[in-house]
Amino acid sequence: MTTTTREIHLASRPQGWPTPENFRTVEVELPDPGPGEVLVRNTVMSVDPYMRGRMNDVKSYVPPFRLDAPLDGGAVGEVVASGDDSLQPGDTVLHQLGWREHAHGPARSFRKVDVSRVPASAYLGVLGMPGLTAYVGLTRIAEVREGDTVFVSGAAGAVGSIAGQLARKLGAAKVIGSAGSPEKVAWLTDELGYDVGLDYKAAKIGRQLAEHAPVDVYFDNVGGDHLEAAISSMADFGRIAVCGMIADYNAEVPSPGPRNLMMLVSKRLSLRGFIVSDHGDVAAEFFERAGAWLAEGELSYRETYEDGLDRAVDAFLGVLSGANTGKMLVRL
C-alpha cells in the first residue's frame, strides 16, 4: 500500500528576495512503514527565517537545501501507521520533516510530545526551537543578571517575544523591545511585559533607543541599524548576543557593517554569535522551566497561521517581511 501526498521542493536558488517561482509543489507516493519506521500525517509545520540562508549554495552551520528535493524544517503531526513499538497510531510527534503533508522515516527521527496541557503547535514555538534560542541567548551567551536593562530587536517575532519575557524572569529590571507597527508595539507592552516598545518604522531606532540608554544586554535578531543603535547605547562592559540578522538575509551583496565598531573597544563590549543547536545540553533545563511558566500562565505567546500546504511559501515570505506576530505556522 502507498499514500499519495504532496511536498514542496526548492526549484531554484533565490537571488535576493525569494519568489514563488523558486518553489515547486510535487505529488509523491509514500510506502507503508517498514520495521522501525513510521508514517505521520503532518498537522502543523514551521517556517523560520534561518531557512532563507539554507536556500543559498554556500557553506554554513547547516547544509543548504538541495535543488529538486523537498525542503525540511520543524513540524508536528499524528502517527497514522507504525512499524516500531515506541510509537503508536494516534501519537503526536515532533520532527524535522516539514514542508510536506506526510512524513515517512525511522521512528528515532520522531519525538512523541505531550499535548494534554499545551497544543502541539507550542512545540514549534514557545516550547520549541524559538523558545530555546531565547533561553540560550539570555542565559549562556549574554548571561542576564539581576537589575540589567535588556534590549531585544525583532521583539514581536517568535524568538523575540519569548526573549523579553524570559529576560524579566531572569532578573532584568527594564526590558525594551523593537517592532514594526503600533499594534505589535502595543502587544509588547500590554501583554508581554515589556517596559518600552519602539516602533522602528516611526523614527530612527538609534534615536529612540538612546532615550533609554544605557543598555546592559542586547539580544540581536535584526542586525543592520539595530545593531549599530545598540552599540551606541550600550553600557560599559555590555553583552551582545547575536541570534540573527534578518535585515540582511535577502541582500544580494553584504551590507556595510556598523560605523561605530570602535565602541566595542572603548566600551569593552562582548559580542558573541550563537547557534542554538550547539547548546542541546541546556534543552532539558529550558523545557522544565518554560513548561512550568507556561502551565502557570506566566509565559504568553501568539501564533500567526496560514492554512494548507499551498500557503506555505506565502507564510515563509511573510516571515521575511514581518507579516507575523509571534510564531508563523502553517496549518496542514
Side-chain angles (χ1 to χ4, degrees), residues 56 87 128 137 161 218 252 267:
N56 300 327
L87 294 172
S161 60
Y218 173 44
E252 295 189 54
K267 294 185 176 185

Side-chain angles (χ1 to χ4, degrees), residues 11 165 198 311:
Q165 297 178 81
L198 307 177
R311 297 289 297 174

Side-chain angles (χ1 to χ4, degrees), residues 132 136 140-141 272 274-283:
L132 180 59
V136 167
R140 285 271 180 102
I141 309 302
R272 180 180 171 191
F274 72 100
I275 304 299
V276 67
S277 57
D278 292 335
H279 301 274
D281 59 311
V282 80

Side-chain angles (χ1 to χ4, degrees), residues 142-151 172-174 176 212-219 230 233-241 269-270:
E143 298 181 344
V144 170
R145 302 164 189 164
E146 196 78 26
D148 276 345
T149 293
V150 176
F151 172 46
K174 184 177 182 179
I176 306 162
H212 305 281
V215 171
D216 301 294
V217 167
Y218 173 44
F219 191 107
S233 290
M234 296 297 290
D236 288 351
F237 303 100
R239 293 95 67 202
I240 300 173
L269 304 180
S270 298

Side-chain angles (χ1 to χ4, degrees), residues 112-266:
K112 184 177 177 179
V113 294
D114 181 5
V115 293
S116 62
R117 295 192 298 172
V118 297
S121 59
Y123 292 97
L124 299 173
V126 60
L127 293 181
M129 180 269 290
L132 180 59
T133 299
Y135 189 79
V136 167
L138 293 170
T139 60
R140 285 271 180 102
I141 309 302
E143 298 181 344
V144 170
R145 302 164 189 164
E146 196 78 26
D148 276 345
T149 293
V150 176
F151 172 46
V152 180
S153 58
V159 175
S161 60
I162 305 303
Q165 297 178 81
L166 294 183
R168 181 75 77 201
K169 290 285 187 185
L170 295 167
K174 184 177 182 179
V175 184
I176 306 162
S178 70
S181 72
E183 294 77 16
K184 290 182 178 180
V185 166
W187 182 49
L188 300 183
T189 56
D190 295 349
E191 295 186 36
L192 300 187
Y194 275 84
D195 298 289
V196 179
L198 307 177
D199 182 350
Y200 65 84
K201 293 183 180 179
K204 288 188 177 297
I205 189 63
R207 187 167 70 248
Q208 293 187 71
L209 184 61
E211 296 177 6
H212 305 281
V215 171
D216 301 294
V217 167
Y218 173 44
F219 191 107
D220 190 14
N221 290 299
V222 174
D225 60 346
H226 278 69
L227 178 57
E228 185 170 292
I231 291 172
S232 290
S233 290
M234 296 297 290
D236 288 351
F237 303 100
R239 293 95 67 202
I240 300 173
V242 182
C243 167
M245 294 191 173
I246 196 170
D248 286 335
Y249 285 176
N250 295 300
E252 295 189 54
V253 295
S255 299
R259 295 167 295 179
N260 55 354
L261 285 179
M262 184 58 195
M263 287 187 177
L264 295 178
V265 178
S266 62

